[in-house]
């Protein structure tokens, strides 16, 4: 790893989390554990500013998700291989392997969907939960519609059966992944050239697994969310959600959508771009520290 692809002061390990699957993870600090999950089209490196702050008084664990970065990328031989339920189980197994039965969890974008699923499936393990710039998968598909939903064209592309999406994206991966780095950032300087190159290199090498991750969110992930919603399952821990005002563009109440899942919710609409952990890291760090100070409701 070079300085552009590693977190300064962190120790790197490969940790087995499932049969044939190991995650690349950066670990540093001591104290209560917090796991930080990256989004698309990024790696754990997106947390570089926030991890450097939290490490002062926490054990900070920053993995690459299954299928991303330097973590293993198993072939999607079934719908469950990249289900968020499977990826959430990876994270609980990772934390346990590092000696943490209970930990705080924060995720951005794809990582936030994994974090959400971990909160529902493993409530005894997750003490606090933060989700950055997403809706739960079932809610996301319900609010998408009309021409305003063109912003999510990649969701529909990668939902297609295996073959076409992989070929199309693989034909020009830098243009595809670079598009999101360009249009989703309010401040392009927040993702400097070396970091951008690291993201593109990692994504270019992971086209099939990234597509499989998104394809799962158009199928099995919806089924899991809907089953939990029908059963009345809710997130039991304190929850913080930070997100852009997508509701204004698509016509939905984001806070209400989240409140249906999280009784102990603090929802904030932010003015920065999608890559808020890199664009406005001080604000995100403050929100995470506020979350970590909250006590669960009795």
């Amino acid at each position: 790893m070079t300085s552009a692809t590693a977190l300064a002061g962190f120790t790197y390990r490969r940790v087995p989390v499932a049969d044939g699957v190991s995650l690349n993870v950066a670990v540093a600090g001591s104290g209560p554990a917090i796991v930080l999950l990256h989004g698309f089209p990024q790696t754990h490196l997106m947390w570089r500013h926030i991890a450097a702050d939290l490490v002062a008084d926490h054990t900070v664990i920053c993995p690459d998700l299954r299928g991303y970065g330097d973590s293993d990328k198993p072939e999607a031989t079934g719908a469950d291989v990249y289900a968020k339920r499977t990826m959430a189980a990876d994270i609980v197994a990772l934390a346990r392997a590092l000696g943490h039965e209970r930990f705080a969890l924060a995720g951005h974008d794809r990582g936030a969907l994994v974090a959400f699923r971990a909160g529902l499936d493993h409530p005894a393990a997750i003490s606090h939960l933060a989700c950055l710039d997403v809706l739960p998968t079932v809610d996301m598909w319900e609010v998408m519609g009309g021409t305003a939903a063109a912003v999510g064209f990649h969701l529909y592309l990668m939902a297609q059966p295996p073959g076409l999406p992989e070929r199309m994206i693989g034909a020009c991966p830098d243009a595809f992944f670079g598009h999101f780095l360009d249009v989703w950032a309010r401040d392009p300087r927040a993702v400097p050239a070396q970091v951008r190159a690291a993201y593109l290199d990692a994504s270019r090498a992971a086209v099939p697994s990234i597509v499989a991750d998104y394809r799962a969110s158009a199928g099995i992930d919806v089924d899991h969310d809907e089953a939990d919603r029908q059963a009345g399952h809710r997130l039991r821990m304190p929850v913080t959600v930070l997100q852009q005002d997508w509701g204004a563009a698509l016509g939905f109440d984001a806070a209400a959508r989240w409140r249906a899942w999280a009784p102990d919710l603090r929802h904030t609409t932010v003015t920065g771009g999608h890559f808020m952990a890199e664009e406005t890291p001080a604000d995100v760090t403050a929100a995470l520290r506020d979350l970590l100070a909250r006590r669960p409701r009795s």
Side-chain angles (χ1 to χ4, degrees), residues 12-16 20-25 70-73 94:
Y12 279 79
R13 299 174 55 180
R14 289 188 63 80
V15 178
V21 178
S22 293
L23 300 187
N24 174 57
V25 58
D70 288 325
S71 289
D72 286 343
K73 304 168 181 65
L94 169 67

Side-chain angles (χ1 to χ4, degrees), residues 51-178:
D53 182 288
L54 294 178
V55 78
D57 48 9
H58 286 80
T59 300
V60 181
I61 301 168
C62 298
D64 288 330
L65 294 167
R66 168 191 293 237
Y68 289 81
D70 288 325
S71 289
D72 286 343
K73 304 168 181 65
E75 183 181 357
T77 53
D80 62 328
V81 175
Y82 286 93
K84 301 309 150 297
R85 174 159 287 162
T86 303
M87 297 171 78
D90 287 348
I91 301 308
V92 173
L94 169 67
R96 185 174 294 127
L98 296 175
H100 304 283
E101 294 291 333
R102 188 165 169 81
F103 55 95
L105 182 59
H108 172 257
D109 190 83
R110 307 305 295 172
L113 299 179
V114 176
F116 171 76
R117 176 46 52 191
L120 287 172
D121 286 358
H122 306 278
I126 312 302
S127 64
H128 300 77
L129 180 67
C131 293
L132 277 55
D133 220 24
V134 297
L135 286 177
T137 302
V138 68
D139 294 272
M140 176 194 72
W141 288 112
E142 288 175 353
V143 303
M144 297 289 280
T147 57
V151 67
F153 78 93
H154 61 300
L155 302 172
Y156 298 92
L157 171 62
M158 290 191 275
Q160 303 309 308
L164 182 63
E166 292 87 346
R167 289 197 298 272
M168 292 178 67
I169 296 168
C172 50
D174 286 8
F176 180 77
F177 296 114

